[in-house]
Amino acid sequence: MMYKKILIGLLIALFLGTAAIMSYGWYFSTRIEERFSARRWSIPSKVYSDTTLLYPGQRINPELFQEKLLNLDYRSVSHLPSRKGEMRSSPSSLDIYLYDLKTPWQNREGFAVRITFAQERIQHIKRADNGQDIPILELEPEEIMLFFGSERERRQLVAIQEVPEHLIHAVLAAEDSRFYQHHGLDPRGILRAFITNLRYGSIKQGGSTLTQQLAKNYFLTPQRTITRKIKESLLSVVMEIKYQKDEILEIYLNEIYLGQKGSVSINGVGEASYFYFGKPVTELSRPESATLAGLIRAPNHYSPYQDKTRCRDRRNDVLRAMHAKGWLSEAKLQSDLKAQVDTVGYTVHGKKAPYFIDYLADQLNALYRPDALSSLGLSIYTTLDTQVQMAAEKALVKGLARLETLNPDLQRIQTEQQLQGAIIVMQPKTGYILAMVGGRSYSVSQFNRITQAKRQPGSAFKPFVYLASLDEFKPTSFLSNDSKTYTVEGKSWKPQNFQPVTAFTVTLRDALKMSYNLATVDLAMQTGLDHIVDVTSRFRFSTPMKPFPSLALGAFEVIPMELARAYCVFAADGVQPYPLSLKGVVNENGDILQQKHMDIERLISPAKAFIMNHMLQSVVTEGTARSLKIKDIHWPVAGKTGTTNEFRDAWFVGYTPDILALVWVGFDNVDSISATGSSAALPIWADLMKSIPQYISESKFKTPPGVEKRTVCSVTGLLFIENACPQPVEEYFLAKHVPTEYCPLHQKYGLGKQIFKGLKKVFNDD
Amino acid sequence: MTTKRKEIAIACLLIMALAGCMKAMPPEKPALPTETVEPEKPTPPSPRLVASLQLTEQGRRLLEQGKTDNAIRVLEQAISLYPDNGQNYYYLAEAWLKKEVASEAKKFNQLAEMHLKDNTEWMNRVAQQANRIAELEK
């Protein structure tokens, strides 16, 4: 009776146990299915810079160019480069074995080239193998940022078919040589591990199969408890029932942790292959495969970046295990054991172009959810030129430090209150944003002063007033530069010039050139404030502009990027580009999801743009920005300085037909910087431009149809009379404004003067 | 001073004296200059232009191959390198024509016209292109 009860009890317990195991198995099965059928890994999306073009005759900045190559993970070697990623440089040449160039638009195998330099110019680019000249060479885009989720993991997925057999053998030899024989659990392996560990009195060998390791990594916590071990075993068995061995192995090879790059972990053999050896997994050699396999047990302990000898010993253990399993011949083993452990090295780069990335992220967030960016492994291609970005960052830091040295009153103890600055560099004709520096230090302040700040532009706004006047006025038109009081909404307003002047009547050109406030207000009043507001509204300033006389002096705040964009219209022959930072988005399979092209809109005629360019060139050659000449800026540049009341803001916007840069300097709390646009912002601009000679073509602004040049009398602005008008000047006019009258002022003196000159000649001849 | 020259000098002084008694007469006006824009001197092609033309050709070939988006990308690179090369704008207009976006094609056609104004052969092509854009707009 007693036995019967026990038997029944046992049967019930067995039934319940089986039921519990089955339901647990079913539960795990569901979890595994969910996990494996959905996306298996979160792959961070990568943001890339634009590609870099190199061509013979191109000027380069050797320092930035070298930095660019290092950022692209090229490594210096002393021998002639024989592997992708190697370079050997001297002042006159660069031998480089290029990486593959893989973008959605092109796929080029890496090859070796020799670039020769003369006087900081590229002289020749030749293929190293056959000496063939290369007219234009494109360097791969630079990885500038990864959108990580909560897990900071780098991973490049590989399919099992891509994995070389020797890597599979190495992994199996190192971790689970009976993988293809067992069903998730390997009693023989457990027993062997138990005996080994007993012999050594410590844990020397693990008995876990690959499937168990995967179960642990994928579904469980790393704690060592009996319950976890039971769960792990159960999961492994279920996994083996549901999936093929190759599928499990593929997931394992992509999952395993294989090292650390700064704060980011390296997961999977695909990523590790690049991290340690700079090549895809398909190109790994047998000893390299054994090295990777050897890392699995303790990636950082055996890392070749930590200790090459220890790494080599571990690799050799793996090679011997491969030999023992019959996967490696004796001869190959002996040769592989002697192989060096050659790694590519790595650099942990700081955050690159952080303000640009924030600006880009805002646009991406409109297209993708944040979790999608951190998990879908998208490739995001941008317009950023990292050489320009580096140059801009350096110029700003240097320029602000210079100002603080010159004027110690500008120094602040609190870093958050420090003098600030911002730079944006654009290509005016395409709208590409080449660089964006939104502040002095991103770690101190993430406020992007290019895209988020609203500041008074001061005189940097004046060109839009002059542009609005061009239907009625010409560069030779005269304006009153005399003091006047204006009434605005019942209050009197009396503007003043920056410095007292003696010229009470000035031409339009001179007024802009010297940035006269009184003449500009006079022009604005004659042009009509409503008309100016109307014209500026076409430039898409998002900040409000009101028809007040102070509008003419830049009293209404603007967002610096919008001001830069507006100036692009002048540089781009009257066409406004949409500022582009994003070029394209591609998914893991290489399918293009988004593609952005240059987007332009004609705002003003090429003729008006040219007149503006020509007047703004005067600002640089003879006006408030003339100090550029002594800063070695000797090519055609147009630009405008800007300084606001109490010296709260200093601006310089300068451009050529190829490139435009805006520099702003000021305090966030609008303290005075006691410096002008010319003394504070302009030197930063000059420093930046001299650092990026590849963008300086020295091209002139092309004269478009609808513009005519005449020699005029500088006093009257009318056609000049030879031997009569004392100061002839060449001036450009819109076709409708070309003067047809001769200077009346000097006409009456003309005859006498001519006779006098004739007489003088006659007497001098004797 | 020769006698003849002295005579000329005296005559001139006399004229001046008489002129003082008369209403000032404007001097003979020189003919108005007729040239509109000063012709630009031919300069050897810059390295940037040479490199840009390589990309232009690449873009043209991509267009021929029907790879329109790729062609646009390459032509934009060509403009980045040398914005004054009008052929890039012509081919960009061609690309947008292929994509049947008349508004974009028109913008680039106008830029091509501006930059290629001195080249009769290209101007003919630009004009023909403008007609095709107008057709598309209908």
Side-chain angles (χ1 to χ4, degrees), chain A residues 24-168:
Chain A
Y24 219 55
W26 178 80
Y27 164 70
F28 280 140
S29 167
T30 317
R31 273 189 69 187
I32 291 167
E33 207 162 306
E34 272 174 14
R35 185 77 161 85
F36 283 12
S37 60
R39 204 179 162 75
R40 289 170 185 167
W41 295 280
S42 286
I43 312 279
S45 298
K46 286 181 183 167
V47 181
Y48 293 96
S49 74
D50 206 352
T51 55
T52 303
L53 294 175
L54 303 175
Y55 54 89
Q58 185 184 30
R59 294 174 65 196
I60 58 154
N61 176 334
E63 194 188 316
L64 284 182
F65 184 57
Q66 190 72 16
E67 216 168 319
K68 169 84 189 176
L69 295 175
L70 292 174
N71 285 340
L72 284 171
D73 284 332
Y74 284 98
R75 55 200 181 275
S76 290
V77 291
S78 52
H79 56 269
L80 195 63
S82 56
R83 297 166 61 176
K84 286 173 192 169
E86 290 182 343
M87 64 171 176
R88 183 179 68 177
S89 54
S90 75
S92 61
S93 69
L94 170 75
D95 294 294
I96 184 165
Y97 206 122
L98 299 169
Y99 285 116
D100 298 342
L101 170 61
K102 280 182 184 167
T103 68
W105 306 281
Q106 58 205 320
N107 199 341
R108 184 205 67 200
E109 276 284 307
F111 58 97
V113 292
R114 182 173 175 77
I115 304 174
T116 51
F117 306 99
Q119 294 170 330
E120 301 195 348
R121 273 182 195 271
I122 292 175
Q123 207 173 22
H124 297 288
I125 307 176
K126 288 177 189 287
R127 281 190 76 104
D129 51 1
N130 57 15
Q132 194 187 330
D133 275 308
I134 300 171
I136 190 158
L137 180 68
E138 197 165 359
L139 291 182
E140 54 279 11
E142 187 179 327
E143 184 187 296
I144 47 175
M145 195 253 184
L146 276 91
F147 280 102
F148 286 113
S150 53
E151 300 152 330
R152 292 180 63 80
E153 294 177 351
R154 289 183 70 107
R155 180 181 277 112
Q156 289 193 41
L157 297 183
V158 286
I160 191 76
Q161 298 81 2
E162 296 173 65
V163 182
E165 194 178 40
H166 50 70
L167 177 57
I168 292 176

Side-chain angles (χ1 to χ4, degrees), chain A residues 26 57 117 156 164 205 208 230-231 260 276 360 406 450 497 515 587 614 630 651 655 673 704 728 741:
Chain A
W26 178 80
F117 306 99
Q156 289 193 41
Q205 211 175 73
S208 295
I230 293 168
K231 282 183 188 170
Q260 199 72 24
Y276 292 106
L360 178 80
L406 288 172
I450 286 296
N497 276 326
S515 203
N587 69 11
H614 203 257
I630 55 167
W651 299 83
Y655 60 90
I673 64 163
E741 294 297 310

Side-chain angles (χ1 to χ4, degrees), chain A residues 51 55-56 105 138 427 429 432 573 595 597-598 600 606 658 694 697 707 709-710 719 742 763 766, chain B residues 1 5 30 32 35-38 47-48 51 54 69-70 72-73 76-77 80 83-84 107 111 114:
Chain A
T51 55
Y55 54 89
W105 306 281
E138 197 165 359
Q427 275 191 330
K429 292 191 178 164
Y432 288 4
D573 308 307
Q595 189 152 227
H597 294 302
M598 63 185 270
I600 54 170
D658 307 307
Q694 66 271 36
S697 68
V707 172
K709 188 163 86 173
R710 293 286 186 276
L719 291 174
Y742 279 88
F763 286 104
D766 284 336
Chain B
M1 194 181 277
R5 283 188 175 176
L32 283 172
E35 97 282 18
T36 52
V37 176
E38 205 174 68
R48 281 166 72 100
Q54 292 280 338
D69 279 316
N70 254 2
I72 293 175
R73 188 193 69 83
E76 285 180 5
Q77 269 186 321
S80 301
D84 282 346
K107 289 177 199 169
L111 285 175
M114 195 182 103

Side-chain angles (χ1 to χ4, degrees), chain B residues 39-84:
Chain B
E40 281 165 21
K41 287 174 190 168
T43 46
S46 70
R48 281 166 72 100
L49 175 59
V50 174
S52 165
L53 287 170
Q54 292 280 338
L55 292 173
T56 311
E57 178 55 21
Q58 205 179 315
R60 190 191 63 77
R61 269 187 268 129
L62 286 167
L63 264 181
E64 271 181 4
Q65 292 163 16
K67 297 175 180 170
T68 313
D69 279 316
N70 254 2
I72 293 175
R73 188 193 69 83
V74 172
L75 291 165
E76 285 180 5
Q77 269 186 321
I79 291 172
S80 301
L81 211 54
Y82 195 84
D84 282 346

